[in-house]
Amino acid sequence: MAATDDRRPKYQRIADSLREAIRSGDYGPGDRLPGENDLMAAHGVARMTARQAIGVLRDEGIAEARKGAGVFVRAFRPLRRRGIQRLARDQWGSGRSIWSADIESRALEVDQVSVSEETAPAHVSAVLDLAAEDVVCVRRRRFVLDGKPVLLATSYLPLSLVAGSAITQEDTGPGGTYARLAELGYEPVHFREEIRSRMPSPDELTQLSMAPGTPVILICRTAFTDEGRPVEVNEMTLDAASYVLEYDFDADSKPAYRKPDTAPPDSCSADIHR
């Protein structure tokens, strides 16, 4: 194993040692890391090698550069997204945001919201069992945690179900979209999430204020009523460096609901080439 490690590029070995120093607490959140000159002297390497080592940590979201000051351990604490608890009925059904299961006492802001009526994209129409010309209510939001953009979300709901309701407004009210769907007689009782990852588009890189080289996580959630009717598709793009995905469930849980005689539609397929 040691011989294999010795064959790794020098910049990778330096990055590994810095990463381990951060994990062990030698460098805490907000602490300044050794600069290029420090690494050159300590490891006997050229400036480019030192620069590459620092670049690895920046690309991983562990470190961030501050103009004129150096490179620092990233102070932002990743958000622990509790994938099952956040969607429980007693969460949104009692008027709480599903986000409150994740953020504890941290400051969350939705700083960009738009609501429109559009013809559904083909992959969304397939999931929602809509005709090609059917119109959906589209809700687009950007979520900012502790001043850092962390998530872009686009929800699609059949307009025939939600027209004239608070779902078509920017502020959906206590409990959000799922509470309003329940009031309309379309209470979601089952959710399916598909998770993928890829590199961000230039627009996503800007909107999420991400360090170059950081991937995004794609989560596509479909909400179903008790009869198995799909009532929402929510496509989310997450900054991978800002999240820990947590799923807590029992070993004897029953298989999830699946509409009879159908396989789950590949609802995130359009995201692959964005």
Side-chain angles (χ1 to χ4, degrees), residues 175-234:
T177 295
Y178 296 147
R180 303 292 81 75
L181 281 170
E183 292 168 356
L184 292 170
Y186 304 106
E187 178 181 348
V189 301
H190 175 72
F191 301 92
R192 181 180 66 232
E193 290 193 342
E194 304 167 13
I195 301 175
R196 300 182 181 184
S197 64
R198 58 165 168 75
M199 298 309 294
S201 67
D203 181 60
E204 291 165 343
L205 201 65
T206 299
Q207 287 200 66
L208 292 172
S209 300
M210 295 170 59
T214 305
V216 290
I217 299 170
L218 307 175
I219 300 180
C220 185
R221 181 171 68 235
T222 306
F224 299 87
T225 66
D226 190 45
E227 294 76 27
R229 180 175 186 171
V231 291
E232 183 215 31
V233 171
N234 188 348

Side-chain angles (χ1 to χ4, degrees), residues 243-266:
Y243 276 89
V244 174
L245 305 184
E246 177 184 302
Y247 294 91
D248 183 3
F249 49 87
D250 295 330
D252 59 354
S253 295
K254 294 181 179 180
Y257 170 87
R258 177 171 292 180
K259 194 175 180 180
D261 302 322
T262 64
D266 197 359

Side-chain angles (χ1 to χ4, degrees), residues 43-65:
H43 297 276
V45 296
R47 183 173 300 279
M48 181 56 69
T49 301
R51 186 171 298 167
Q52 287 177 303
I54 294 172
V56 169
L57 301 185
R58 291 179 59 187
D59 289 347
E60 292 176 353
I62 297 172
E64 58 185 359

Side-chain angles (χ1 to χ4, degrees), residues 55-274:
V56 169
L57 301 185
R58 291 179 59 187
D59 289 347
E60 292 176 353
I62 297 172
E64 58 185 359
R66 300 178 189 170
K67 190 172 183 179
V71 178
F72 296 78
V73 178
R74 193 178 185 207
F76 181 84
R77 179 164 53 98
L79 175 67
R80 186 169 292 275
R81 182 184 187 274
R82 295 174 171 85
I84 295 176
Q85 296 92 324
R86 68 199 312 270
L87 294 173
R89 183 186 290 104
D90 61 5
Q91 184 73 22
W92 49 264
S94 60
R96 297 194 301 270
S97 163
I98 62 175
W99 274 79
S100 63
D102 305 331
I103 63 174
E104 301 169 341
S105 60
R106 302 172 71 179
L108 173 72
E109 177 188 5
V110 183
D111 74 334
Q112 296 177 11
V113 183
S114 69
V115 184
S116 58
E117 297 179 5
E118 304 174 19
T119 301
H123 67 286
V124 171
S125 292
V127 177
L128 293 177
D129 291 335
L130 300 176
E133 68 278 4
D134 283 351
V135 175
V136 289
C137 172
V138 183
R139 300 182 52 82
R140 295 183 174 90
R141 292 91 68 208
R142 184 175 79 161
F143 294 82
V144 178
L145 184 68
D146 296 340
K148 165 72 174 68
V150 295
L151 168 69
L152 305 174
T154 302
S155 294
Y156 302 90
L157 302 102
L159 189 61
S160 60
L161 303 187
V162 303
S165 73
I167 293 173
T168 63
Q169 306 300 313
E170 290 188 4
D171 183 357
T172 56
T177 295
Y178 296 147
R180 303 292 81 75
L181 281 170
E183 292 168 356
L184 292 170
Y186 304 106
E187 178 181 348
V189 301
H190 175 72
F191 301 92
R192 181 180 66 232
E193 290 193 342
E194 304 167 13
I195 301 175
R196 300 182 181 184
S197 64
R198 58 165 168 75
M199 298 309 294
S201 67
D203 181 60
E204 291 165 343
L205 201 65
T206 299
Q207 287 200 66
L208 292 172
S209 300
M210 295 170 59
T214 305
V216 290
I217 299 170
L218 307 175
I219 300 180
C220 185
R221 181 171 68 235
T222 306
F224 299 87
T225 66
D226 190 45
E227 294 76 27
R229 180 175 186 171
V231 291
E232 183 215 31
V233 171
N234 188 348
E235 295 182 334
M236 294 161 274
T237 303
L238 294 67
D239 174 3
S242 297
Y243 276 89
V244 174
L245 305 184
E246 177 184 302
Y247 294 91
D248 183 3
F249 49 87
D250 295 330
D252 59 354
S253 295
K254 294 181 179 180
Y257 170 87
R258 177 171 292 180
K259 194 175 180 180
D261 302 322
T262 64
D266 197 359
S267 51
C268 289
S269 60
D271 278 317
I272 297 176
H273 304 294
R274 283 186 185 174

